[in-house]
Amino acid sequence: MAGTKQATTTVSGPEFACPVSPVVDIVFSRWTTPVLWALHTYGRQRFVELERRIGTITPKVLTQRLRQLERDGLVVRTYHPEVPPRVEYEINELGRSLAPLFAHLTEWGAAHLGRVEEARRAYDADPARPRP
């Protein structure tokens, strides 16, 4: 309508400035990628199996990551009420849908990490550069 002023909504926050940010927050937190990789590569596993495969993760952190991944809908936790109780974790379809993303990142790493290392060495060797 002529003469009608439309209201504009200003949306702020990093998730609107960069639509990739929420995905990065979900998928690329410190231990999420190794957990998802282990579940994708080796299938359903018990807590101790995951802990051994990842190696350097503490039980507390692994518990936190698994709970968050279950909350995010990427991992399924199955409790078996037997003696002793058994709990297994597996990546679900939503989690498996990340496989192409990880494959692309692996390809990018193979193609470009050498150049990143060269750039870092050159940067570190330059006495005029500030230290990170």
Side-chain angles (χ1 to χ4, degrees), residues 39-130:
L39 290 172
H40 185 265
T41 303
Y42 298 103
R44 182 181 309 146
Q45 296 172 67
R46 294 176 75 171
F47 185 91
V48 174
E49 293 173 299
L50 269 171
E51 189 178 22
R52 280 190 210 124
R53 285 199 200 286
I54 297 170
T56 56
I57 194 168
T58 66
K60 177 183 175 185
V61 172
L62 180 55
T63 298
Q64 291 170 341
R65 281 294 89 209
L66 286 167
R67 285 182 183 157
Q68 186 62 51
L69 289 167
E70 184 180 9
R71 181 175 181 257
D72 291 339
L74 302 173
V75 167
V76 175
R77 177 184 184 267
T78 305
Y79 175 79
H80 301 278
E82 50 194 44
V83 179
R86 182 170 48 102
V87 177
E88 296 176 317
Y89 298 90
E90 63 184 311
I91 194 168
N92 63 15
E93 191 59 37
L94 183 59
R96 279 191 294 279
S97 72
L98 292 166
L101 173 64
F102 291 138
H104 286 296
L105 289 170
T106 301
E107 291 169 14
W108 187 92
H112 301 290
L113 281 180
R115 289 175 50 199
V116 170
E117 286 301 318
E118 288 174 21
R120 288 177 178 169
R121 280 192 297 275
Y123 183 96
D124 292 345
D126 185 348
R129 295 272 185 192

Side-chain angles (χ1 to χ4, degrees), residues 20-34 36 65 68-69 72 74 98-106:
V20 175
S21 292
V23 176
V24 170
D25 289 344
I26 292 167
V27 179
F28 297 108
S29 63
R30 173 76 169 100
W31 290 104
T32 297
T33 309
L36 289 174
R65 281 294 89 209
Q68 186 62 51
L69 289 167
D72 291 339
L74 302 173
L98 292 166
L101 173 64
F102 291 138
H104 286 296
L105 289 170
T106 301

